[in-house]
Every structure is written in structure tokens, then in C-alpha cells.
């Protein structure tokens, strides 16, 4: 019979087969890596939009806002020659 101050050993660390991380741990790590990649992608696109002066103009319209958003989403593609432009032709209301 164990003594009163006996402490059971801690359970073994959760590991998958052959010491690999469990599926949940690997999925979580993959999700955080892809999140960081997407964040870096968008930051690069934001830098490209700032360099093109999209945030310095006071007048905004559909085409200007659309071009700014598409430039941010395009991210690093802006630096290899992609220059996304949006042309908004909104319908006029009928009279």
C-alpha cells in the first residue's frame, strides 16, 4: 500500500504513432502556419497599396475602392507586374 505522501507519476505525453504529434496537434500547427502566411500576404499587399498612393486621395469612388481592395488581396503579385484595376460601371437609376 502506498504511503500518504505518495504521488502517482504523470501520464505519458500524448503522442501519435512512433512519437509523431497527434492529428489534432498537427492540424493546429498547420492552421496557424497558414494563418501567418495569409497575414504576411495581406501585409505585403497593404504595403503595395500604400506605395501606389491609394490611401492619399480624398475622393473615393467604386473604382478607386475596388482597386485598393484588389491590390491588397493580390499581395506579393503586385511586385511581379500585376497591377489590378477595377472599373465600376454602376447602372443609373431609372426616372
Amino acid at each position: 500500500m502506498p504511503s500518504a505522501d505518495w504521488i502517482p507519476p504523470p501520464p505519458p505525453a500524448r503522442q501519435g504513432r512512433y512519437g509523431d504529434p497527434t492529428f489534432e496537434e498537427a492540424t493546429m500547427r498547420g492552421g496557424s502556419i497558414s494563418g501567418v502566411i495569409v497575414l504576411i500576404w495581406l501585409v505585403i499587399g497593404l504595403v503595395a497599396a500604400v506605395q501606389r498612393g491609394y490611401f492619399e486621395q480624398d475622393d473615393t469612388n467604386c473604382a478607386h475602392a475596388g482597386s485598393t481592395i484588389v491590390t491588397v488581396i493580390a499581395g506579393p503579385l503586385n511586385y511581379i507586374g500585376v497591377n489590378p484595376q477595377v472599373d465600376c460601371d454602376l447602372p443609373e437609376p431609372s426616372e
Side-chain angles (χ1 to χ4, degrees), residues 18-76:
Y18 308 115
D20 295 336
T22 62
F23 177 76
E24 292 84 13
E25 291 167 343
T27 304
M28 210 180 313
R29 187 175 309 128
S32 64
I33 289 172
S34 61
V36 169
I37 290 171
V38 167
L39 181 65
I40 291 171
W41 182 279
L42 293 175
V43 167
I44 292 172
L46 185 63
V47 169
V50 169
Q51 288 177 343
R52 291 183 178 169
Y54 286 159
F55 297 108
E56 295 173 359
Q57 299 174 359
D58 289 334
D59 60 333
T60 56
N61 55 28
C62 175
H64 180 73
S67 294
T68 303
I69 291 169
V70 173
T71 298
V72 171
I73 292 172

